[in-house]
Amino acid sequence: MSLIPSATEIVVALGHGDDLVGRSHECDHPPGVEALPALTAPKVPLEGSSREIDDRVRTLLDEAMSVYDVDVERLSDLRPDLILTQSQCEVCAVSLPTVEQTVADRIEGNPAVVALEPRSLADVRSDIRRVAAALGCPDRGDRCVQQMRTRMRAVSRAMAPAHPSDRPTVAALEWIDPLMGAGGWVPTLLEAAGGTPVFTRRRADLDALHDADPDRIVVMACGFGLSRTDAEMDGLRTDPRWTALRAVQTGHVYRTDGNHFFNRPGPRLATSLDILAEILHPDRFHAAFDRSHRKTAWRRDPAPAPASTR
């Protein structure tokens, strides 16, 4: 049983998708996993603005409460041998203490619990191997990691700039209101894509972003797809501090499907690197690779219209 989308994708990539008996409410890739019973549900409404969602989540965390409910009865009925969860972020998925308490109280058979905790790209590779070991297929884990590494190295080499000045500064935003810079494995991906990461603070504001004034802004809001991100950015687009940014003025603001790519630390981080490389160095990327993710995984915001002189 997988209680986090990235773990579900890892299990399928390792060839054990048919062994899955349950998933989290967010697990939706690859197609077909939605048919599995969902064992979790958010305790807060996901409607409303990103500010409202952030406030609701932080209220629960301040009260030392879990952000997610677990369907304990169904979990017990499914009798999994292995439960995959995470211990990194109580906002992203069901926390390890919640799973451990559920197992101790209600589930017979003493299933193994493996908690992923990726804080870097190297940790993601390690987690893939840990899941493979728990599934009894360590060789497949090594092979999956090597395939991922080979693909990403090819992109990194193709994007390597001839001069340091060819590396644009890039701010990657993981949340919109309040603004949060993307950390973890994202700065490594930005460097591999031929950029220089700036604004990596987890929680900041438009004044701090204005001070960084990056060449490019890539929005990869956690849990949001392209259309939801577009709607959430309407508040930014009317703020003079936003419109004064160099990246905004030159039309170098990019919205991505942060839900399916950057915020899922699994095999598809290789595709996330593709997306960044295509955004930062499109000519170089298309000359080297016969693939594109524009329109399906990212969009470019147009530069604002010049002010009328009349």
Side-chain angles (χ1 to χ4, degrees), residues 140-162:
R140 291 186 186 180
D142 290 340
R143 189 160 55 248
C144 181
V145 167
Q146 187 56 47
Q147 290 171 347
M148 184 178 173
R149 192 194 300 269
T150 298
R151 176 176 168 181
M152 296 177 82
R153 279 179 174 170
V155 174
S156 181
R157 288 168 180 162
M159 297 303 107

Side-chain angles (χ1 to χ4, degrees), residues 158-159 166 168 193-194 216 251-252 254 273-294 298 300:
M159 297 303 107
D166 293 336
R216 309 282 189 271
H252 283 298
Y254 304 87
L273 176 56
D274 273 6
I275 295 167
L276 289 175
E278 188 176 23
I279 286 173
L280 300 184
H281 302 288
D283 293 342
R284 200 180 305 165
F285 182 82
H286 294 144
F289 305 103
D290 185 22
R291 55 183 185 259
S292 175
H293 305 282
R294 188 170 188 176
W298 66 274
R300 181 175 180 175

Side-chain angles (χ1 to χ4, degrees), residues 263-278:
N263 297 294
R264 294 196 183 186
R268 286 201 296 166
L269 285 187
T271 303
S272 301
L273 176 56
D274 273 6
I275 295 167
L276 289 175
E278 188 176 23

Side-chain angles (χ1 to χ4, degrees), residues 100-120:
E100 289 178 331
Q101 188 63 49
T102 300
V103 169
D105 290 347
R106 303 294 296 273
I107 301 181
E108 298 179 5
N110 194 29
V113 177
V114 173
L116 310 185
E117 192 177 2
R119 299 186 183 278
S120 67

Side-chain angles (χ1 to χ4, degrees), residues 82-97:
L82 172 67
I83 300 175
L84 299 174
T85 185
Q86 56 88 47
S87 58
Q88 177 188 15
C89 176
E90 293 183 344
V91 176
C92 295
V94 178
S95 66
L96 176 60

